[in-house]
Amino acid sequence: MSSVAVPFYQRRHKHFDQSYRNIQTRYVLEEYAARKAAARRAAYYELPGLGKTTCRLCARKARSLAHEAIQESRKRTHEQKTHASEEKRIRFANELSVLEKEIHTARHRAREHLDRLEVQRMVEENMALERHALEESISRAPEILVRLRSHTVWEKMSVSLCFTVQGFPTPVVQWYKNEELITPASDPTKYRIESKYGVHVLHINRADFDDSATYSAVATNVHGQASTNCAVVVRRFREGEEPHPAGIMPFHLPLSYDVCFTHIDVQFLEKFGVTFATEGETLTLKCSMLITPDLKRLQPRAEWYRDDVLIKDSKWTKLYFGEGQAALSFTHLNKDDEGLYTLRMVTRGGVSEYSAYLFVRDADALIAGAPGAPMDVKCHDANRDYVIVTWKPPNTINENPVIGYFVDKCEVGLENWVQCNDAPVKICKYPVTGLYEGRSYIFRVRAVNSAGISRPSRVSEPVAALDPVDLERTQTIHVDEGRKIVISKDDLEGDIQIPGPPTNVHASEISKTYVVLSWDPPVPRGREPLTYFIEKSMVGSGSWQRVNAQVAVKSPRYAVFDLAEGKSYVFRVLSANKHGISDPSEITVPIQPEDSTVAPSTPGQVVATRNTKTSVVVQWDKPKHEEDLYGYYIDYSVVGSNHWEPSNHKPIKYNRFVVHGLETGQQYIFRVKAVNAVGFSENSQESEAITVQAALTCPSYPHGITLLNCDGHSMTLGWKAPRYSGGSPILGYYMDKREANHQNWHEVNSSLITQTIYTVGDDFSFKINYFWLCLQYIQCFLK
């Protein structure tokens, strides 16, 4: 066979082998393989470090020793690793044990701390309830035991006025001099007030003639007030005159501080006008005046009214009067403050008053498109665990309609507001249940539409969760020396084991979503506290279901929710005390949940007339059904703009309103809608377009006619200009005269008197009267 290389195409054949190689080549290959195998065996049997081969026995022994050495080394390494792992495991176990002990100790301490806090809270609640019950049992209005006594002293002598009062809580006493509050801080050298053990003393140091006055003391607490007064007369001793007897007054001394003047004139100088403001702002209405005569002892009384309701000092309003100025300040404006404000200065001779309207716009909504806040939140029919909250809806012109309201409650003294209803209530009335007896609450309301929730309304006045009937079941008997005995009818009725069933169960209010049940407690009801359970049954079902299975009702009324629409129900009530439950009461007549109050009908024709250059008088016909109306909202729009704006932001009760803040010369149209607890009526028909211009009316009469001079041949008279000019400057006056014994009046001047002073040559009595000459009046108006 040739020794040439095999072609590449033959190498891929399956029959390929090395038969083509020659014998010499095969021999060389076999020798090479034998040498390689011998070398491998020699390397296998050769010991390390000797560099030569040994016999098989020695090699085997050497391998055994090497293997044992390797095993020993591995064993020592394993033991070292095992020992280190064991130490690590033991150390980890110890640390874990310490951590578990710390966690256990921390849990134990936390549990003890929580138990201690819970016990402390329970003790504080029980103490608060007991303290409240004790305070309620001993609380009473102030009662004067020893009244003030009048004094007559000489000048430079000191006077001590004292009286005794009792009441709980401890009454707060204020002293007054001629109905003006006495503040010792303003004159510490003159007055000193002491109060100790129910005895209250007013010390007047070195009395002078100006201290002659009527002094009164008013004691006030949360249950009422009591007052007492006395007179102090300070006599002036002159040299050469003997002191007068105690019962005889000298002719030159006043008998009292009240001097009976026929008239005190009050003239308003700077007056507040129609005001526009926004919710949340602060505002002050001021009015300065000239009082004639201005006597320190005899000042008029300033009274502020909003829509003919007297305003008093409160959290929201502050009153001030002094130094010829009367002011009413608002700390945080709300739509509840909108209305007609009247300042009345009351004197012995009459009343002087001035009025202007205050408009309060909605504050910017927290969410764009949300409605304005509700207003006028009030509480009605409060009892132990129940109260009815009512409010008035906001006017929504540019926002989406209101779909409901959320009512929030908060305990007085806390800041934790809790939402009372899960779903928005659609009418402006909601019964709130689940109140804690003896605690006071305040409420607020938020309106909801498709865009979001409004700002909360102003909070209501605080209301206490108490049963007013409890006061009627107690009788107070007064005995001698100011003592009294309180007798409860519960004690007279004795121990009642199981009370009788309630009576007169009826529905006091029916709505589509709830029914308010009312009843009379059983008589006699006994000394033990009563609770009630209400049961309902659908007409025709024959089965009864307990409504308040979880919480017992303490008030003799309850609001039942979750009633099927269009179904009729009957109800019965059971009373219970600690001894047991009474028999059921008589079953009510079938009651079907439905809205007893419907939306009001549309107001009638709307008529707009001119008033001033920035206001228009709007009048309309009342709707056919005006029962339970909250009032009306008036809207206006510039002709052709189709954009409506609200005139008032609080419902008004009258069918006449003056719309202010309009642009002179612009044309406007008006519309009106009525509102009640259910919602709004349809908008009325639009009024005729009217241009804003001032309307001219007759002025009021002149006043303050006074004789300035008389010399026997002539008389000079003066008078004051009329208070109302009628919308145009006054052109002049006409004067009439008559004899004192005759009734016929004669004209004095043929031409107009342009001044408020005039001299007449005849000795007659006069009467000032005036009127405008029609022709001159028209000419002046045309100019």
Side-chain angles (χ1 to χ4, degrees), residues 450-480:
S450 59
I453 302 177
S454 72
R455 293 176 179 268
S457 66
R458 174 178 286 179
V459 299
S460 67
E461 293 293 330
V463 59
L466 297 172
D467 188 358
V469 181
D470 288 345
L471 299 177
E472 301 176 0
R473 294 182 61 82
T474 58
Q475 181 179 2
T476 303
I477 301 176
H478 294 274
V479 295
D480 57 346

mmCIF file of all heavy atoms in Angstrom, residues 450-480:
data_model
loop_
_atom_site.group_PDB
_atom_site.id
_atom_site.type_symbol
_atom_site.label_atom_id
_atom_site.label_comp_id
_atom_site.label_asym_id
_atom_site.label_seq_id
_atom_site.Cartn_x
_atom_site.Cartn_y
_atom_site.Cartn_z
ATOM 1 N N SER A 450 -72.100 66.582 41.771
ATOM 2 C CA SER A 450 -71.304 65.665 40.947
ATOM 3 C C SER A 450 -69.833 66.043 40.893
ATOM 4 O O SER A 450 -68.984 65.215 40.569
ATOM 5 C CB SER A 450 -71.879 65.630 39.522
ATOM 6 O OG SER A 450 -71.870 66.930 38.948
ATOM 7 N N ALA A 451 -69.496 67.310 41.223
ATOM 8 C CA ALA A 451 -68.095 67.748 41.177
ATOM 9 C C ALA A 451 -67.350 67.478 42.472
ATOM 10 O O ALA A 451 -66.140 67.273 42.459
ATOM 11 C CB ALA A 451 -68.014 69.235 40.832
ATOM 12 N N GLY A 452 -68.041 67.482 43.601
ATOM 13 C CA GLY A 452 -67.349 67.250 44.870
ATOM 14 C C GLY A 452 -68.169 67.748 46.038
ATOM 15 O O GLY A 452 -69.382 67.974 45.942
ATOM 16 N N ILE A 453 -67.478 67.927 47.171
ATOM 17 C CA ILE A 453 -68.102 68.303 48.436
ATOM 18 C C ILE A 453 -67.743 69.756 48.747
ATOM 19 O O ILE A 453 -66.619 70.201 48.528
ATOM 20 C CB ILE A 453 -67.631 67.374 49.578
ATOM 21 C CG1 ILE A 453 -67.952 65.915 49.233
ATOM 22 C CG2 ILE A 453 -68.295 67.746 50.896
ATOM 23 C CD1 ILE A 453 -67.457 64.927 50.271
ATOM 24 N N SER A 454 -68.704 70.484 49.286
ATOM 25 C CA SER A 454 -68.520 71.900 49.579
ATOM 26 C C SER A 454 -67.726 72.086 50.871
ATOM 27 O O SER A 454 -67.400 71.135 51.577
ATOM 28 C CB SER A 454 -69.880 72.577 49.724
ATOM 29 O OG SER A 454 -70.501 72.180 50.939
ATOM 30 N N ARG A 455 -67.439 73.342 51.167
ATOM 31 C CA ARG A 455 -66.895 73.683 52.471
ATOM 32 C C ARG A 455 -67.946 73.428 53.550
ATOM 33 O O ARG A 455 -69.146 73.484 53.281
ATOM 34 C CB ARG A 455 -66.478 75.159 52.517
ATOM 35 C CG ARG A 455 -65.310 75.511 51.615
ATOM 36 C CD ARG A 455 -65.044 76.998 51.670
ATOM 37 N NE ARG A 455 -63.905 77.377 50.836
ATOM 38 C CZ ARG A 455 -62.651 77.461 51.282
ATOM 39 N NH1 ARG A 455 -62.393 77.189 52.560
ATOM 40 N NH2 ARG A 455 -61.674 77.801 50.473
ATOM 41 N N PRO A 456 -67.534 73.142 54.784
ATOM 42 C CA PRO A 456 -68.533 72.939 55.845
ATOM 43 C C PRO A 456 -69.219 74.240 56.216
ATOM 44 O O PRO A 456 -68.656 75.334 56.091
ATOM 45 C CB PRO A 456 -67.703 72.385 57.005
ATOM 46 C CG PRO A 456 -66.317 72.834 56.739
ATOM 47 C CD PRO A 456 -66.166 72.891 55.250
ATOM 48 N N SER A 457 -70.443 74.123 56.671
ATOM 49 C CA SER A 457 -71.201 75.281 57.114
ATOM 50 C C SER A 457 -70.670 75.766 58.456
ATOM 51 O O SER A 457 -69.819 75.133 59.086
ATOM 52 C CB SER A 457 -72.677 74.914 57.252
ATOM 53 O OG SER A 457 -72.851 73.967 58.306
ATOM 54 N N ARG A 458 -71.184 76.904 58.912
ATOM 55 C CA ARG A 458 -70.883 77.354 60.274
ATOM 56 C C ARG A 458 -71.514 76.384 61.263
ATOM 57 O O ARG A 458 -72.612 75.878 61.041
ATOM 58 C CB ARG A 458 -71.412 78.759 60.500
ATOM 59 C CG ARG A 458 -71.269 79.256 61.933
ATOM 60 C CD ARG A 458 -71.765 80.677 62.075
ATOM 61 N NE ARG A 458 -70.832 81.619 61.492
ATOM 62 C CZ ARG A 458 -71.026 82.939 61.461
ATOM 63 N NH1 ARG A 458 -72.145 83.455 61.964
ATOM 64 N NH2 ARG A 458 -70.129 83.741 60.908
ATOM 65 N N VAL A 459 -70.811 76.107 62.344
ATOM 66 C CA VAL A 459 -71.290 75.110 63.304
ATOM 67 C C VAL A 459 -72.540 75.637 64.001
ATOM 68 O O VAL A 459 -72.750 76.853 64.123
ATOM 69 C CB VAL A 459 -70.201 74.763 64.331
ATOM 70 C CG1 VAL A 459 -68.983 74.179 63.640
ATOM 71 C CG2 VAL A 459 -69.796 75.994 65.137
ATOM 72 N N SER A 460 -73.359 74.711 64.449
ATOM 73 C CA SER A 460 -74.587 75.071 65.150
ATOM 74 C C SER A 460 -74.279 75.478 66.587
ATOM 75 O O SER A 460 -73.157 75.330 67.070
ATOM 76 C CB SER A 460 -75.543 73.871 65.151
ATOM 77 O OG SER A 460 -75.011 72.814 65.938
ATOM 78 N N GLU A 461 -75.295 75.975 67.268
ATOM 79 C CA GLU A 461 -75.157 76.236 68.692
ATOM 80 C C GLU A 461 -75.059 74.908 69.444
ATOM 81 O O GLU A 461 -75.651 73.914 69.032
ATOM 82 C CB GLU A 461 -76.357 77.029 69.206
ATOM 83 C CG GLU A 461 -76.442 78.440 68.649
ATOM 84 C CD GLU A 461 -75.305 79.326 69.126
ATOM 85 O OE1 GLU A 461 -74.818 79.084 70.255
ATOM 86 O OE2 GLU A 461 -74.906 80.234 68.381
ATOM 87 N N PRO A 462 -74.297 74.847 70.547
ATOM 88 C CA PRO A 462 -74.188 73.578 71.294
ATOM 89 C C PRO A 462 -75.544 73.129 71.823
ATOM 90 O O PRO A 462 -76.377 73.939 72.228
ATOM 91 C CB PRO A 462 -73.224 73.928 72.440
ATOM 92 C CG PRO A 462 -72.496 75.149 71.979
ATOM 93 C CD PRO A 462 -73.453 75.909 71.112
ATOM 94 N N VAL A 463 -75.762 71.828 71.784
ATOM 95 C CA VAL A 463 -77.003 71.249 72.293
ATOM 96 C C VAL A 463 -76.630 70.071 73.190
ATOM 97 O O VAL A 463 -75.734 69.291 72.872
ATOM 98 C CB VAL A 463 -77.928 70.798 71.136
ATOM 99 C CG1 VAL A 463 -77.252 69.764 70.259
ATOM 100 C CG2 VAL A 463 -79.243 70.268 71.670
ATOM 101 N N ALA A 464 -77.290 69.968 74.331
ATOM 102 C CA ALA A 464 -77.007 68.913 75.299
ATOM 103 C C ALA A 464 -77.960 67.745 75.091
ATOM 104 O O ALA A 464 -79.158 67.932 74.841
ATOM 105 C CB ALA A 464 -77.132 69.436 76.725
ATOM 106 N N ALA A 465 -77.415 66.532 75.184
ATOM 107 C CA ALA A 465 -78.219 65.314 75.041
ATOM 108 C C ALA A 465 -78.877 65.010 76.384
ATOM 109 O O ALA A 465 -78.399 64.191 77.175
ATOM 110 C CB ALA A 465 -77.348 64.152 74.577
ATOM 111 N N LEU A 466 -79.981 65.700 76.665
ATOM 112 C CA LEU A 466 -80.720 65.534 77.914
ATOM 113 C C LEU A 466 -82.206 65.461 77.608
ATOM 114 O O LEU A 466 -82.680 65.978 76.590
ATOM 115 C CB LEU A 466 -80.447 66.702 78.869
ATOM 116 C CG LEU A 466 -79.001 66.869 79.360
ATOM 117 C CD1 LEU A 466 -78.858 68.169 80.140
ATOM 118 C CD2 LEU A 466 -78.592 65.689 80.224
ATOM 119 N N ASP A 467 -82.946 64.806 78.497
ATOM 120 C CA ASP A 467 -84.383 64.684 78.339
ATOM 121 C C ASP A 467 -85.051 65.858 79.047
ATOM 122 O O ASP A 467 -84.936 65.975 80.286
ATOM 123 C CB ASP A 467 -84.866 63.360 78.928
ATOM 124 C CG ASP A 467 -86.341 63.097 78.606
ATOM 125 O OD1 ASP A 467 -86.967 63.966 77.975
ATOM 126 O OD2 ASP A 467 -86.845 62.036 78.979
ATOM 127 N N PRO A 468 -85.733 66.762 78.339
ATOM 128 C CA PRO A 468 -86.373 67.896 79.020
ATOM 129 C C PRO A 468 -87.489 67.481 79.958
ATOM 130 O O PRO A 468 -87.859 68.246 80.845
ATOM 131 C CB PRO A 468 -86.906 68.739 77.850
ATOM 132 C CG PRO A 468 -87.023 67.787 76.698
ATOM 133 C CD PRO A 468 -85.947 66.778 76.883
ATOM 134 N N VAL A 469 -88.015 66.279 79.795
ATOM 135 C CA VAL A 469 -89.102 65.818 80.671
ATOM 136 C C VAL A 469 -88.586 65.563 82.081
ATOM 137 O O VAL A 469 -89.337 65.627 83.052
ATOM 138 C CB VAL A 469 -89.757 64.552 80.082
ATOM 139 C CG1 VAL A 469 -90.896 64.058 80.952
ATOM 140 C CG2 VAL A 469 -90.261 64.844 78.673
ATOM 141 N N ASP A 470 -87.279 65.284 82.212
ATOM 142 C CA ASP A 470 -86.735 65.019 83.536
ATOM 143 C C ASP A 470 -86.896 66.209 84.465
ATOM 144 O O ASP A 470 -87.088 66.048 85.685
ATOM 145 C CB ASP A 470 -85.250 64.642 83.425
ATOM 146 C CG ASP A 470 -85.071 63.254 82.819
ATOM 147 O OD1 ASP A 470 -86.068 62.501 82.770
ATOM 148 O OD2 ASP A 470 -83.956 62.933 82.385
ATOM 149 N N LEU A 471 -86.810 67.441 83.920
ATOM 150 C CA LEU A 471 -86.997 68.617 84.757
ATOM 151 C C LEU A 471 -88.429 68.734 85.253
ATOM 152 O O LEU A 471 -88.673 69.254 86.349
ATOM 153 C CB LEU A 471 -86.611 69.870 83.967
ATOM 154 C CG LEU A 471 -85.151 69.934 83.485
ATOM 155 C CD1 LEU A 471 -84.921 71.185 82.650
ATOM 156 C CD2 LEU A 471 -84.189 69.880 84.649
ATOM 157 N N GLU A 472 -89.387 68.254 84.457
ATOM 158 C CA GLU A 472 -90.786 68.313 84.871
ATOM 159 C C GLU A 472 -91.102 67.282 85.945
ATOM 160 O O GLU A 472 -92.113 67.398 86.637
ATOM 161 C CB GLU A 472 -91.693 68.095 83.658
ATOM 162 C CG GLU A 472 -91.480 69.119 82.544
ATOM 163 C CD GLU A 472 -92.337 68.805 81.337
ATOM 164 O OE1 GLU A 472 -93.076 67.804 81.389
ATOM 165 O OE2 GLU A 472 -92.253 69.563 80.345
ATOM 166 N N ARG A 473 -90.266 66.256 86.088
ATOM 167 C CA ARG A 473 -90.529 65.209 87.072
ATOM 168 C C ARG A 473 -89.894 65.520 88.423
ATOM 169 O O ARG A 473 -89.864 64.667 89.305
ATOM 170 C CB ARG A 473 -90.004 63.869 86.558
ATOM 171 C CG ARG A 473 -90.751 63.368 85.332
ATOM 172 C CD ARG A 473 -90.221 62.025 84.888
ATOM 173 N NE ARG A 473 -90.371 60.992 85.906
ATOM 174 C CZ ARG A 473 -91.494 60.308 86.134
ATOM 175 N NH1 ARG A 473 -92.572 60.555 85.416
ATOM 176 N NH2 ARG A 473 -91.538 59.382 87.073
ATOM 177 N N THR A 474 -89.331 66.716 88.558
ATOM 178 C CA THR A 474 -88.796 67.145 89.848
ATOM 179 C C THR A 474 -89.569 68.352 90.350
ATOM 180 O O THR A 474 -90.068 69.170 89.571
ATOM 181 C CB THR A 474 -87.308 67.498 89.721
ATOM 182 O OG1 THR A 474 -87.145 68.530 88.753
ATOM 183 C CG2 THR A 474 -86.497 66.277 89.302
ATOM 184 N N GLN A 475 -89.691 68.454 91.672
ATOM 185 C CA GLN A 475 -90.419 69.549 92.298
ATOM 186 C C GLN A 475 -89.556 70.120 93.411
ATOM 187 O O GLN A 475 -89.002 69.377 94.239
ATOM 188 C CB GLN A 475 -91.763 69.066 92.861
ATOM 189 C CG GLN A 475 -92.594 70.165 93.498
ATOM 190 C CD GLN A 475 -93.917 69.652 94.011
ATOM 191 O OE1 GLN A 475 -94.192 68.458 93.917
ATOM 192 N NE2 GLN A 475 -94.735 70.519 94.575
ATOM 193 N N THR A 476 -89.396 71.452 93.418
ATOM 194 C CA THR A 476 -88.567 72.129 94.414
ATOM 195 C C THR A 476 -89.464 72.811 95.438
ATOM 196 O O THR A 476 -90.370 73.575 95.077
ATOM 197 C CB THR A 476 -87.658 73.159 93.738
ATOM 198 O OG1 THR A 476 -86.855 72.495 92.753
ATOM 199 C CG2 THR A 476 -86.749 73.823 94.754
ATOM 200 N N ILE A 477 -89.227 72.521 96.707
ATOM 201 C CA ILE A 477 -89.981 73.120 97.807
ATOM 202 C C ILE A 477 -89.032 74.006 98.590
ATOM 203 O O ILE A 477 -88.016 73.527 99.118
ATOM 204 C CB ILE A 477 -90.596 72.030 98.720
ATOM 205 C CG1 ILE A 477 -91.530 71.127 97.899
ATOM 206 C CG2 ILE A 477 -91.331 72.674 99.887
ATOM 207 C CD1 ILE A 477 -92.099 69.984 98.697
ATOM 208 N N HIS A 478 -89.328 75.323 98.673
ATOM 209 C CA HIS A 478 -88.492 76.262 99.399
ATOM 210 C C HIS A 478 -88.928 76.299 100.859
ATOM 211 O O HIS A 478 -90.118 76.391 101.179
ATOM 212 C CB HIS A 478 -88.612 77.665 98.795
ATOM 213 C CG HIS A 478 -88.063 77.758 97.404
ATOM 214 N ND1 HIS A 478 -86.735 78.005 97.145
ATOM 215 C CD2 HIS A 478 -88.678 77.602 96.193
ATOM 216 C CE1 HIS A 478 -86.539 78.019 95.849
ATOM 217 N NE2 HIS A 478 -87.706 77.785 95.237
ATOM 218 N N VAL A 479 -87.944 76.212 101.713
ATOM 219 C CA VAL A 479 -88.203 76.289 103.155
ATOM 220 C C VAL A 479 -87.544 77.554 103.671
ATOM 221 O O VAL A 479 -87.001 78.359 102.913
ATOM 222 C CB VAL A 479 -87.656 75.034 103.866
ATOM 223 C CG1 VAL A 479 -88.418 73.803 103.416
ATOM 224 C CG2 VAL A 479 -86.176 74.853 103.597
ATOM 225 N N ASP A 480 -87.573 77.742 104.995
ATOM 226 C CA ASP A 480 -87.050 78.974 105.564
ATOM 227 C C ASP A 480 -85.525 79.028 105.452
ATOM 228 O O ASP A 480 -84.850 78.027 105.207
ATOM 229 C CB ASP A 480 -87.476 79.102 107.032
ATOM 230 C CG ASP A 480 -87.024 77.897 107.856
ATOM 231 O OD1 ASP A 480 -86.632 76.886 107.234
ATOM 232 O OD2 ASP A 480 -87.066 77.981 109.097
#
